[in-house]
Short mmCIF file of all heavy atoms in Angstrom, two decimals:
data_model
loop_
_atom_site.label_atom_id
_atom_site.label_comp_id
_atom_site.label_asym_id
_atom_site.label_seq_id
_atom_site.Cartn_x
_atom_site.Cartn_y
_atom_site.Cartn_z
N GLN A 1268 40.37 -4.49 -24.18
CA GLN A 1268 41.29 -3.45 -23.75
C GLN A 1268 41.72 -2.49 -24.85
O GLN A 1268 41.95 -1.32 -24.58
CB GLN A 1268 42.53 -4.07 -23.11
CG GLN A 1268 42.98 -3.40 -21.88
CD GLN A 1268 44.17 -4.11 -21.29
OE1 GLN A 1268 44.42 -5.27 -21.55
NE2 GLN A 1268 44.96 -3.41 -20.47
N VAL A 1269 41.83 -2.98 -26.08
CA VAL A 1269 42.31 -2.05 -27.14
C VAL A 1269 41.34 -0.92 -27.40
O VAL A 1269 41.72 0.11 -27.98
CB VAL A 1269 42.55 -2.74 -28.51
CG1 VAL A 1269 43.82 -3.60 -28.43
CG2 VAL A 1269 41.35 -3.51 -28.99
N PHE A 1270 40.10 -1.06 -26.94
CA PHE A 1270 39.13 -0.04 -27.11
C PHE A 1270 39.11 0.96 -25.92
O PHE A 1270 38.37 1.94 -25.96
CB PHE A 1270 37.71 -0.61 -27.35
CG PHE A 1270 37.54 -1.22 -28.69
CD1 PHE A 1270 37.88 -2.56 -28.92
CD2 PHE A 1270 37.06 -0.47 -29.76
CE1 PHE A 1270 37.74 -3.13 -30.18
CE2 PHE A 1270 36.90 -1.05 -31.02
CZ PHE A 1270 37.22 -2.38 -31.22
N HIS A 1271 39.83 0.65 -24.87
CA HIS A 1271 39.72 1.44 -23.62
C HIS A 1271 40.43 2.79 -23.67
O HIS A 1271 39.93 3.78 -23.10
CB HIS A 1271 40.19 0.64 -22.43
CG HIS A 1271 39.31 -0.54 -22.10
ND1 HIS A 1271 39.68 -1.49 -21.17
CD2 HIS A 1271 38.13 -0.95 -22.61
CE1 HIS A 1271 38.72 -2.41 -21.08
NE2 HIS A 1271 37.79 -2.10 -21.99
N PHE A 1272 41.60 2.85 -24.34
CA PHE A 1272 42.41 4.06 -24.33
C PHE A 1272 42.57 4.63 -22.93
O PHE A 1272 42.92 3.86 -22.03
CB PHE A 1272 41.85 5.08 -25.34
CG PHE A 1272 42.00 4.63 -26.77
CD1 PHE A 1272 40.96 3.93 -27.39
CD2 PHE A 1272 43.16 4.86 -27.48
CE1 PHE A 1272 41.11 3.45 -28.70
CE2 PHE A 1272 43.31 4.43 -28.79
CZ PHE A 1272 42.30 3.71 -29.37
N ASP A 1273 42.25 5.92 -22.72
CA ASP A 1273 42.53 6.57 -21.43
C ASP A 1273 41.30 6.92 -20.62
O ASP A 1273 41.43 7.42 -19.50
CB ASP A 1273 43.36 7.81 -21.67
CG ASP A 1273 44.58 7.53 -22.53
OD1 ASP A 1273 45.41 6.70 -22.10
OD2 ASP A 1273 44.72 8.16 -23.62
N LEU A 1274 40.13 6.72 -21.19
CA LEU A 1274 38.89 7.05 -20.46
C LEU A 1274 37.72 6.26 -21.07
O LEU A 1274 37.49 6.31 -22.25
CB LEU A 1274 38.63 8.55 -20.63
CG LEU A 1274 37.43 9.15 -19.84
CD1 LEU A 1274 37.68 9.14 -18.33
CD2 LEU A 1274 37.13 10.56 -20.35
N GLY A 1275 37.00 5.52 -20.20
CA GLY A 1275 35.74 4.89 -20.64
C GLY A 1275 34.61 5.94 -20.54
O GLY A 1275 34.65 6.82 -19.67
N ARG A 1276 33.61 5.74 -21.33
CA ARG A 1276 32.56 6.78 -21.45
C ARG A 1276 31.16 6.15 -21.49
O ARG A 1276 30.38 6.41 -22.37
CB ARG A 1276 32.83 7.56 -22.74
CG ARG A 1276 32.72 9.05 -22.65
CD ARG A 1276 33.18 9.68 -23.95
NE ARG A 1276 32.47 9.16 -25.10
CZ ARG A 1276 33.09 8.70 -26.23
NH1 ARG A 1276 34.39 8.69 -26.34
NH2 ARG A 1276 32.36 8.24 -27.24
N PRO A 1277 30.85 5.33 -20.49
CA PRO A 1277 29.58 4.60 -20.56
C PRO A 1277 28.37 5.45 -20.01
O PRO A 1277 28.57 6.20 -19.06
CB PRO A 1277 29.80 3.41 -19.66
CG PRO A 1277 30.78 3.88 -18.63
CD PRO A 1277 31.69 4.89 -19.35
N GLY A 1278 27.26 5.27 -20.62
CA GLY A 1278 26.01 5.80 -20.13
C GLY A 1278 25.09 4.66 -19.76
O GLY A 1278 24.98 4.29 -18.60
N ALA A 1279 24.46 4.09 -20.73
CA ALA A 1279 23.36 3.14 -20.58
C ALA A 1279 23.61 2.05 -19.56
O ALA A 1279 22.70 1.71 -18.78
CB ALA A 1279 23.00 2.53 -21.92
N ALA A 1280 24.80 1.44 -19.56
CA ALA A 1280 25.09 0.33 -18.68
C ALA A 1280 24.96 0.73 -17.21
O ALA A 1280 24.52 -0.07 -16.35
CB ALA A 1280 26.44 -0.28 -18.95
N HIS A 1281 25.29 1.99 -16.94
CA HIS A 1281 25.13 2.51 -15.57
C HIS A 1281 23.69 2.30 -15.09
O HIS A 1281 23.41 2.06 -13.92
CB HIS A 1281 25.44 3.99 -15.49
CG HIS A 1281 26.87 4.32 -15.37
ND1 HIS A 1281 27.59 5.08 -16.28
CD2 HIS A 1281 27.78 3.97 -14.44
CE1 HIS A 1281 28.83 5.20 -15.90
NE2 HIS A 1281 29.00 4.52 -14.79
N TYR A 1282 22.76 2.51 -16.02
CA TYR A 1282 21.32 2.55 -15.65
C TYR A 1282 20.64 1.19 -15.85
O TYR A 1282 19.45 1.10 -15.83
CB TYR A 1282 20.63 3.62 -16.48
CG TYR A 1282 21.42 4.93 -16.41
CD1 TYR A 1282 22.25 5.33 -17.51
CD2 TYR A 1282 21.38 5.73 -15.28
CE1 TYR A 1282 22.98 6.50 -17.41
CE2 TYR A 1282 22.14 6.91 -15.21
CZ TYR A 1282 22.94 7.30 -16.29
OH TYR A 1282 23.69 8.42 -16.20
N GLY A 1283 21.46 0.14 -16.08
CA GLY A 1283 20.92 -1.22 -16.08
C GLY A 1283 20.73 -1.83 -17.47
O GLY A 1283 20.34 -3.02 -17.54
N VAL A 1284 20.96 -1.07 -18.54
CA VAL A 1284 20.79 -1.62 -19.87
C VAL A 1284 21.95 -2.61 -20.11
O VAL A 1284 23.10 -2.33 -19.76
CB VAL A 1284 20.82 -0.50 -20.94
CG1 VAL A 1284 20.84 -1.08 -22.35
CG2 VAL A 1284 19.59 0.44 -20.76
N ASN A 1285 21.63 -3.75 -20.74
CA ASN A 1285 22.65 -4.76 -20.93
C ASN A 1285 23.66 -4.35 -22.05
O ASN A 1285 23.27 -4.14 -23.19
CB ASN A 1285 21.98 -6.06 -21.39
CG ASN A 1285 22.97 -7.22 -21.50
OD1 ASN A 1285 24.17 -7.02 -21.25
ND2 ASN A 1285 22.48 -8.40 -21.85
N PRO A 1286 24.93 -4.15 -21.67
CA PRO A 1286 25.90 -3.74 -22.68
C PRO A 1286 26.36 -4.87 -23.61
O PRO A 1286 27.06 -4.63 -24.59
CB PRO A 1286 27.09 -3.21 -21.83
CG PRO A 1286 26.98 -3.99 -20.55
CD PRO A 1286 25.52 -4.28 -20.34
N VAL A 1287 26.03 -6.10 -23.26
CA VAL A 1287 26.42 -7.25 -24.06
C VAL A 1287 25.16 -8.04 -24.47
O VAL A 1287 24.91 -9.14 -23.99
CB VAL A 1287 27.42 -8.14 -23.29
CG1 VAL A 1287 28.79 -7.51 -23.23
CG2 VAL A 1287 26.96 -8.45 -21.86
N PRO A 1288 24.37 -7.49 -25.40
CA PRO A 1288 23.12 -8.15 -25.81
C PRO A 1288 23.37 -9.60 -26.22
O PRO A 1288 24.35 -9.89 -26.88
CB PRO A 1288 22.65 -7.30 -27.00
CG PRO A 1288 23.31 -5.98 -26.85
CD PRO A 1288 24.60 -6.25 -26.18
N GLY A 1289 22.46 -10.46 -25.81
CA GLY A 1289 22.59 -11.86 -26.13
C GLY A 1289 23.38 -12.64 -25.08
O GLY A 1289 23.34 -13.87 -25.08
N LYS A 1290 24.05 -11.90 -24.19
CA LYS A 1290 24.72 -12.56 -23.08
C LYS A 1290 24.07 -12.12 -21.77
O LYS A 1290 23.39 -11.09 -21.75
CB LYS A 1290 26.21 -12.20 -23.07
CG LYS A 1290 27.00 -12.71 -24.23
CD LYS A 1290 28.48 -12.61 -23.89
CE LYS A 1290 29.36 -12.62 -25.12
NZ LYS A 1290 30.66 -11.98 -24.84
N PRO A 1291 24.34 -12.86 -20.69
CA PRO A 1291 23.72 -12.43 -19.38
C PRO A 1291 24.17 -10.99 -19.04
O PRO A 1291 25.32 -10.61 -19.24
CB PRO A 1291 24.30 -13.45 -18.37
CG PRO A 1291 24.73 -14.64 -19.20
CD PRO A 1291 25.13 -14.08 -20.54
N ASN A 1292 23.21 -10.23 -18.54
CA ASN A 1292 23.48 -8.83 -18.24
C ASN A 1292 24.37 -8.71 -17.00
O ASN A 1292 24.00 -9.11 -15.92
CB ASN A 1292 22.12 -8.10 -17.99
CG ASN A 1292 22.30 -6.62 -17.87
OD1 ASN A 1292 23.40 -6.10 -17.84
ND2 ASN A 1292 21.18 -5.91 -17.91
N PRO A 1293 25.58 -8.12 -17.18
CA PRO A 1293 26.46 -7.98 -15.99
C PRO A 1293 26.04 -6.84 -15.07
O PRO A 1293 26.61 -6.69 -13.99
CB PRO A 1293 27.82 -7.68 -16.63
CG PRO A 1293 27.54 -7.09 -17.96
CD PRO A 1293 26.20 -7.66 -18.41
N MET A 1294 25.07 -6.04 -15.52
CA MET A 1294 24.71 -4.84 -14.75
C MET A 1294 23.49 -5.18 -13.82
O MET A 1294 22.70 -6.07 -14.13
CB MET A 1294 24.33 -3.67 -15.63
CG MET A 1294 25.29 -3.39 -16.79
SD MET A 1294 27.07 -3.50 -16.43
CE MET A 1294 27.21 -2.21 -15.20
N ARG A 1295 23.37 -4.37 -12.78
CA ARG A 1295 22.20 -4.52 -11.90
C ARG A 1295 21.05 -3.64 -12.40
O ARG A 1295 21.26 -2.57 -12.95
CB ARG A 1295 22.57 -4.13 -10.48
CG ARG A 1295 23.16 -5.29 -9.74
CD ARG A 1295 23.62 -4.92 -8.32
NE ARG A 1295 22.59 -4.35 -7.51
CZ ARG A 1295 22.80 -3.84 -6.31
NH1 ARG A 1295 24.01 -3.86 -5.77
NH2 ARG A 1295 21.81 -3.33 -5.58
N GLN A 1296 19.84 -4.13 -12.23
CA GLN A 1296 18.63 -3.32 -12.55
C GLN A 1296 18.58 -2.12 -11.62
O GLN A 1296 18.72 -2.26 -10.43
CB GLN A 1296 17.42 -4.17 -12.33
CG GLN A 1296 16.50 -4.62 -13.46
CD GLN A 1296 16.68 -4.05 -14.82
OE1 GLN A 1296 16.11 -3.02 -15.11
NE2 GLN A 1296 17.39 -4.74 -15.71
N VAL A 1297 18.36 -0.93 -12.21
CA VAL A 1297 18.35 0.30 -11.40
C VAL A 1297 16.89 0.79 -11.17
O VAL A 1297 16.57 1.40 -10.19
CB VAL A 1297 19.21 1.37 -12.06
CG1 VAL A 1297 19.07 2.72 -11.38
CG2 VAL A 1297 20.68 0.96 -12.13
#
Side-chain angles (χ1 to χ4, degrees):
Q1268 221 178 339
V1269 288
F1270 287 87
H1271 292 172
F1272 292 91
D1273 307 302
L1274 184 70
R1276 224 172 54 231
H1281 276 122
Y1282 311 101
V1284 173
N1285 187 359
V1287 286
K1290 293 198 201 156
N1292 191 349
M1294 315 316 299
R1295 274 175 56 185
Q1296 244 352 273
V1297 174

